[in-house]
Amino acid sequence: MCDKVKNIISEAVRDAMNEVRPMWMTGYHRLTEAKLNRIMKHGDSGMVVISANRSGVHSDNPNSDLTAEYAEWLDKNGMDNTEENEGIFLKERNKDANRKLIGRIKASGLSYTPVYGGYHGRDSVQDDFEPSYIVYAKDRSGGTVDFETLFDLAKDWCGQFKQDSVYVQPPFEAPMYIDCNGNRVDKSSSKNFKFNRDDEEFCTTTKRKHTAPQRFTADINFESFYHKGVSSYVDRMRRSKGGEFIL
């Protein structure tokens, strides 16, 4: 067994161990309604939610399809097209893409909040529990930034990281999903933001299941969000200086 496969299997084992550990033991905490309200307040000037993850290789959306990238990876590593290898490719690809996305966000100088959650996909791929980022139209000192700057970045990131769409919430307006060209892909939305409504249609997360998850919806829905807690004063300083808005 090659070292690359051994390392990936080791990571999978660690992930599986985290599946059965209480979230507070992993450093992540359920987003409370108070913290959701803080997000909404910080996002008054506008915000977007972006992820770099894909949960499948093939997509009927040509802007999100990873078939060519996967074929190149198979050829480079001398591997056959199997379900196991597809999973290895996605894990490796998502880890690298997430690292690059957080680098782009930090380079933008905007404040952000890292979260984890599930999203509705508009193509044939159902995205699941994944690392995501709320990026605000505010700089690291809290000053308001022109929303069009953030909007353009959201489109760019959506295309770069093969996302079907990105959640966009203009200042004091109803949110929407847009594609990499800035076209709106959802049918409707409203400013009727709701928390923890069990009768709403939320997307499901397949990697982790929790009872009574904190939920947020504004006609366009996402759920089961967690944020990484601050471990120390030094950790808070480091992450704040990097542009992260600490909840």
Side-chain angles (χ1 to χ4, degrees):
M1 185 181 296
C2 69
D3 291 339
K4 176 181 285 188
V5 174
K6 287 182 179 178
N7 290 336
I8 291 173
I9 291 175
S10 296
E11 288 183 9
V13 171
R14 287 195 295 270
D15 290 344
M17 291 292 291
N18 284 333
E19 292 286 343
V20 297
R21 293 169 64 195
M23 289 302 291
W24 62 268
M25 290 180 65
T26 66
Y28 293 87
H29 311 280
R30 193 180 304 282
L31 280 181
T32 62
E33 186 165 331
K35 288 177 179 178
L36 288 171
N37 279 316
R38 290 189 65 190
I39 286 174
M40 298 303 297
K41 180 64 177 177
H42 201 65
D44 277 351
S45 56
M47 65 182 186
V48 304
V49 184
I50 181 71
S51 171
N53 270 41
R54 294 297 296 174
S55 57
V57 169
H58 310 292
S59 171
D60 55 13
N61 181 344
N63 293 320
S64 303
D65 188 66
L66 299 174
T67 302
E69 187 177 331
Y70 175 52
E72 182 180 350
W73 180 86
L74 288 174
D75 184 63
K76 177 181 177 182
N77 291 281
M79 294 180 173
D80 296 324
N81 178 21
T82 65
E83 185 175 346
E84 180 182 7
N85 286 339
E86 184 172 326
I88 293 174
F89 162 76
L90 283 171
K91 186 176 183 67
E92 188 176 298
R93 180 264 171 199
N94 286 342
K95 183 177 182 180
D96 182 62
N98 184 66
R99 177 183 59 79
K100 289 177 179 176
L101 174 58
I102 187 61
R104 303 279 198 283
I105 293 172
K106 288 183 176 181
S108 74
L110 299 176
S111 60
Y112 68 97
T113 298
V115 290
Y116 291 78
Y119 298 84
H120 284 297
R122 300 295 172 176
D123 58 6
S124 60
V125 175
Q126 178 63 48
D127 291 332
D128 53 10
F129 196 84
E130 62 188 32
S132 307
Y133 301 91
I134 302 175
V135 186
Y136 307 96
K138 289 187 176 181
D139 59 28
R140 294 176 182 177
S141 63
T144 300
V145 175
D146 181 16
F147 181 73
E148 288 302 314
T149 299
L150 177 59
F151 187 84
D152 288 341
L153 284 172
K155 290 191 297 181
D156 187 37
W157 293 335
C158 185
Q160 283 184 44
F161 297 102
K162 299 289 188 177
Q163 296 299 294
D164 175 67
S165 59
V166 56
Y167 177 99
V168 172
Q169 188 173 313
F172 304 106
E173 293 184 19
M176 68 185 84
Y177 273 116
I178 63 166
D179 63 19
C180 62
N181 297 311
N183 300 314
R184 184 168 181 168
V185 298
D186 61 276
K187 293 183 178 179
S188 65
S189 65
S190 76
K191 294 172 67 177
N192 186 24
F193 301 107
K194 293 164 282 188
F195 298 126
N196 303 325
R197 286 280 297 272
D198 292 332
D199 58 343
E200 296 295 320
E201 183 182 0
F202 293 93
C203 64
T204 58
T205 59
T206 59
K207 289 186 179 178
R208 299 173 190 261
K209 294 182 180 180
H210 305 283
T211 57
Q214 291 292 328
R215 296 177 176 178
F216 164 87
T217 181
D219 287 341
I220 305 171
N221 308 316
F222 52 101
E223 67 166 359
S224 300
F225 271 76
Y226 289 82
H227 70 102
K228 185 167 178 56
V230 178
S231 62
S232 68
Y233 175 69
V234 174
D235 184 38
R236 176 181 291 273
M237 286 183 61
R238 177 182 61 79
R239 289 163 58 183
S240 295
K241 288 181 179 296
E244 180 178 336
F245 172 59
I246 306 295
L247 295 175

